[in-house]
Amino acid sequence: MPHAEKGLAVGLFGGSFNPAHAGHALVAEIALRRLALDQLWWMVTPGNPLKSARELAPLAERLRLSEQIARNPKFKVTAFEASHYVRFTADTLALVKARNPGVDFVWIMGADSLRDFHRWQRWRQIVMTFPIAVIDRPGATLSFLSSVVAKTFDYARVDEGDAPRLARMKAPAWTFIHGPRSSLSSTAIRKMAQG
């Protein structure tokens, strides 16, 4: 797990990154800037319980590609979930919170993930652990409003203009951040590589 001093604002950006691409880097850069973060942990997961493991490249390969893409010195590429045998995001966030008292975290996710977020194990616990920044993705700008999570936690939505303060807020708190969008997707890249 990367090191973070007390008082820092740190973004948690998790995913399969299968493979990592410029679209991921764009989301991370937008989050870093708009949320006024001191660090962003680029967390390469061992696997996604909601996705097929057959198409998943080895963790070492996904980690290597992520390190090539995540060039900003404030990015900390890590795969600590594998060494802690953590499978679900709720467990990851509980571990991060327990190991880092005094650090202000915000969970970062693409708007495309928000659509199915209510299918994640203990999704309500995730929302109640750290504030969440949802970053705009192509085709997901409007659908995020109709998501189960957005409707359930509508009362906790923070104005986008307050995004720089989000990491310091008590959960539940979330915002939607508009910005430049990349049409790249890991799924499309894998399909192109297969021929």
Side-chain angles (χ1 to χ4, degrees), residues 78-131:
T78 178
F80 73 85
E81 290 168 299
S83 60
H84 288 278
Y85 304 101
V86 179
R87 185 162 178 227
F88 298 106
T89 299
D91 297 325
T92 298
L93 300 188
L95 177 66
V96 167
K97 188 172 192 169
R99 295 272 176 104
N100 296 278
V103 178
D104 295 313
F105 289 100
V106 57
W107 176 254
I108 298 158
M109 63 191 306
D112 49 336
S113 296
L114 192 63
R115 182 179 52 247
D116 296 320
F117 189 50
H118 65 284
R119 293 193 176 120
W120 294 23
Q121 177 135 16
R122 301 191 312 277
W123 63 273
R124 291 174 192 269
Q125 181 182 332
I126 295 169
V127 177
M128 299 302 289
T129 303
F130 294 133

Side-chain angles (χ1 to χ4, degrees), residues 16-21 24 48 50-52 55-56 112 115 137 183-195:
S16 302
F17 302 110
N18 187 37
H21 54 71
H24 293 129
N48 182 332
L50 297 177
K51 293 182 180 176
S52 169
E55 296 181 4
L56 196 61
D112 49 336
R115 182 179 52 247
R137 292 276 294 138
S183 60
L184 289 173
S185 87
S186 296
T187 304
I189 291 170
R190 285 194 310 273
K191 286 181 180 173
M192 283 177 24
Q194 292 169 353

Side-chain angles (χ1 to χ4, degrees), residues 36-54:
L37 299 174
D38 298 301
Q39 292 180 10
L40 182 138
W41 295 2
W42 183 298
M43 304 184 316
V44 183
T45 63
N48 182 332
L50 297 177
K51 293 182 180 176
S52 169
R54 287 195 321 266

